[in-house]
Amino acid sequence: MSLYRSVVWFAKGLREYTKSGYESACKDFVPHDLEVQIPGRVFLVTGGNSGIGKATALEIAKRGGTVHLVCRDQAPAEDARGEIIRESGNQNIFLHIVDLSDPKQIWKFVENFKQEHKLHVLINNAGCMVNKRELTEDGLEKNFAANTLGVYILTTGLIPVLEKEHDPRVITVSSGGMLVQKLNTNDLQSERTPFDGTMVYAQNKTGMSRS
């Protein structure tokens, strides 16, 4: 990480990614903008069993939207689905178990989803940060496979479904971590430099912000 990027990350982080940053930004929030009902709108949220993904899915469910959770691990995903249903009173919460680092699983899921469901909004939220270089069974570096290639395959695969609906959206969650890395298109799978999971994650997020 260069000195310049370190300084930018530190300055921007203090200003925007702390409690004081939130308190400053929320002064411009318009509460009425969030007071909407969205019955009939269908959302797909990856990584919807925890963190930002779960919070997003819950708020959508509270407003009457149909939510498809795409998660990797069955048990925590089932727990999250049950919690969202209980807290929102919305039964239209569906669960799909998909490993987003596995292209074959993604394609299979997309093909089945296209046959059975409609979709208005895709929210690419899931991400992973593996700190030791690991390869998938397809020979792909795992962070790259899940954070970059998997997002690309899922999004391009679902675009035909989205295009059938009025006002479709694709939202891809990024990270302030991308500020610390310049995209290196010559080493997308981290083969040529010492492996650092945090920096690889930042690379992945930088790549997605450019796509």
Side-chain angles (χ1 to χ4, degrees), residues 119-205:
L119 183 64
H120 296 90
V121 182
L122 167 62
I123 303 177
N124 289 309
N125 163 77
C128 75
M129 186 167 65
V130 179
N131 288 312
K132 182 179 179 181
R133 192 172 192 274
E134 297 180 19
L135 299 182
T136 68
E137 65 177 27
D138 296 309
L140 301 167
E141 192 278 312
K142 198 158 191 175
N143 293 292
F144 169 79
N147 298 332
T148 304
L149 183 61
V151 173
Y152 176 79
I153 293 173
L154 182 66
T155 302
T156 54
L158 289 175
I159 282 177
V161 188
L162 289 159
E163 288 179 332
K164 294 178 181 179
E165 307 301 332
H166 173 67
D167 194 25
R169 305 291 179 93
V170 175
I171 299 168
T172 300
V173 179
S174 188
S175 166
M178 71 180 183
L179 297 174
V180 304
Q181 284 284 294
K182 182 179 180 181
L183 182 63
N184 182 2
T185 56
N186 294 317
D187 192 22
L188 292 176
Q189 297 205 62
S190 310
E191 299 172 288
R192 304 176 183 178
T193 55
F195 191 86
D196 182 324
T198 303
M199 294 300 105
V200 170
Y201 178 82
Q203 273 273 316
N204 297 159
K205 291 298 184 180

Side-chain angles (χ1 to χ4, degrees), residues 93-110:
I93 313 298
F94 303 95
L95 177 59
H96 311 271
I97 302 302
V98 184
D99 183 348
L100 292 176
S101 69
D102 186 335
K104 293 188 290 295
Q105 281 195 39
I106 301 171
W107 281 120
K108 182 178 180 180
F109 163 72
V110 167

Side-chain angles (χ1 to χ4, degrees), residues 1-184:
M1 185 182 357
S2 69
L3 176 60
Y4 169 76
R5 288 185 177 274
S6 297
V7 171
V8 169
W9 164 249
F10 183 75
K12 192 173 180 66
L14 282 180
R15 187 173 68 249
E16 298 181 8
Y17 305 146
T18 59
K19 181 179 179 180
S20 61
Y22 170 78
E23 290 172 345
S24 175
C26 73
K27 294 175 183 177
D28 296 321
F29 293 173
V30 181
H32 179 71
D33 288 347
L34 297 177
E35 298 307 316
V36 296
Q37 293 300 311
I38 47 177
R41 296 279 285 179
V42 181
F43 298 75
L44 189 154
V45 184
T46 66
N49 62 296
S50 63
I52 293 173
K54 182 180 176 183
T56 300
L58 176 59
E59 292 304 318
I60 292 169
K62 286 180 177 179
R63 289 162 174 77
T66 295
V67 182
H68 292 269
L69 303 173
V70 172
C71 306
R72 183 185 60 188
D73 298 318
Q74 184 89 36
E78 290 282 6
D79 290 343
R81 176 177 179 270
E83 187 177 332
I84 291 169
I85 291 173
R86 286 192 301 274
E87 290 193 24
S88 68
N90 185 342
Q91 297 293 320
N92 293 318
I93 313 298
F94 303 95
L95 177 59
H96 311 271
I97 302 302
V98 184
D99 183 348
L100 292 176
S101 69
D102 186 335
K104 293 188 290 295
Q105 281 195 39
I106 301 171
W107 281 120
K108 182 178 180 180
F109 163 72
V110 167
E111 290 305 311
N112 291 335
F113 191 92
K114 288 194 296 187
Q115 300 300 318
E116 300 174 4
H117 305 286
K118 62 181 181 179
L119 183 64
H120 296 90
V121 182
L122 167 62
I123 303 177
N124 289 309
N125 163 77
C128 75
M129 186 167 65
V130 179
N131 288 312
K132 182 179 179 181
R133 192 172 192 274
E134 297 180 19
L135 299 182
T136 68
E137 65 177 27
D138 296 309
L140 301 167
E141 192 278 312
K142 198 158 191 175
N143 293 292
F144 169 79
N147 298 332
T148 304
L149 183 61
V151 173
Y152 176 79
I153 293 173
L154 182 66
T155 302
T156 54
L158 289 175
I159 282 177
V161 188
L162 289 159
E163 288 179 332
K164 294 178 181 179
E165 307 301 332
H166 173 67
D167 194 25
R169 305 291 179 93
V170 175
I171 299 168
T172 300
V173 179
S174 188
S175 166
M178 71 180 183
L179 297 174
V180 304
Q181 284 284 294
K182 182 179 180 181
L183 182 63
N184 182 2

